[in-house]
Amino acid sequence: MKGTGVWSPLLTGEDAVQALAAAEAIAHDLADDPQAAAQVGLSGGLAGLALLFAYRERALGDRQAGELAEQCLERAITRLAEPPSPGASLYHGYSGVAWVVEHVAGGEPLAEEDDPNGEIDAALLALLQRSPWRDDFDLLGGLVGWGVYALERMPRPSAAALLTLVVARLAECAEHGDSGAVWRDPRSPARPPDLGMAHGAAGVIALLARIVREGPPGSEAGPLLTAAVGGVLSRSREAEEDGDLAWCAGDAGLSVALLAAGRACRRDDWEDAARRLSLASAERYRADGGGFDPALCHGTAGLSHLFHRLFLATGDSELLAAARRWIERTLALRRPGQGHGGYQSRGRLADGRLGWITDPGFLGGAAGIGLALLAAAATVEPEWDRLLLLSGA
């Protein structure tokens, strides 16, 4: 595993006890709910559950949780071989299952014939031969997500080859201009470029920064990273009151990406921009966090974890205060007896309306909330957040 080596829990004392109890309740309910494993992928299925159980074992020494993690992964791998195929995406498809397999194994080198992800590498290498690239580029479903998977596989030769192809495909589907490069949704090319982490430029920047630091020598990631940052800074602005505030979209996630880029390329001006954005984001909703749900993607748990990572990277006390506000709000949103471990998230009801739903998932539901609560209270570094491109600055 490839941690930063810098981690200290956000909570201590009774607050930590409360967070661990909530995480325990989530894990218990997910283990007992057969519908929680109805899907295979990372976002809402078995792979996300495996990640939660694996970190429960690491953080608390819970052997039973470790056994559950292995069972979830075995079931996910078996179901990948059954039609219909879930596709290749990191968050909804087979590369996400493979990422968790690699991560839980700790990157231990295996002989080629024993490598459970060898066929995944081959499938992605074949997919990335398509040129010019016209499909998704983002973290959740496209090129950036496959780059995250390949980084987890380094230093294997197949991983280096994957990263080289990911950078090449990102370069050819970018829209290059005088200020830099931007990326547009191939299904909605008329829309303005997304600057967010999940579907936009922040994800590209954070990935390229990690490739510069961890990827194969001679990569073209550096020049493309410079272009990507230029494209963002020409369009970005200080955080606005009516803008998004979430991991997935808005300036909070973008600040993480810019910080990673500044440190990878030793650019103080990029770091300065990252700090301005992060501090402006931390000031928002200082007095009132109502209206948020608890999810990692767009909710309180994700914001707490994001600001905690920013604090550990910068030492800025305002970011620590923001992280604590958002974890307190996460704990306050718990309703014992509802959902998994007392947590529900906002989503589509059966009649199509938005409402509160029981979601087992990593990104939008209970598995991710449980991981964030564990991270806030335990001393084990939450390296699972490499999936969110939050660690590595």
Side-chain angles (χ1 to χ4, degrees), residues 34 74 78 220 287 315 367 383:
E74 288 171 359
T78 298
E220 292 298 314
E383 297 172 70

Side-chain angles (χ1 to χ4, degrees), residues 220-288:
E220 292 298 314
L224 188 58
L225 177 56
T226 299
V229 173
V232 159
L233 293 182
S234 70
R235 288 168 168 78
S236 187
R237 70 282 181 270
E238 299 297 332
E240 298 175 355
E241 290 299 321
D242 59 350
D244 290 318
L245 184 66
W247 163 79
C248 59
D251 289 330
L254 180 57
S255 69
V256 175
L258 289 174
L259 182 63
R263 294 189 172 176
C265 297
R266 299 181 181 180
R267 289 286 301 263
D268 291 342
D269 54 334
W270 295 356
E271 283 200 49
D272 289 343
R275 287 173 183 268
R276 289 194 299 272
L277 285 178
S278 66
L279 290 171
S281 297
E283 281 296 309
R284 296 179 59 197
Y285 300 99
R286 175 183 280 273
D288 180 16

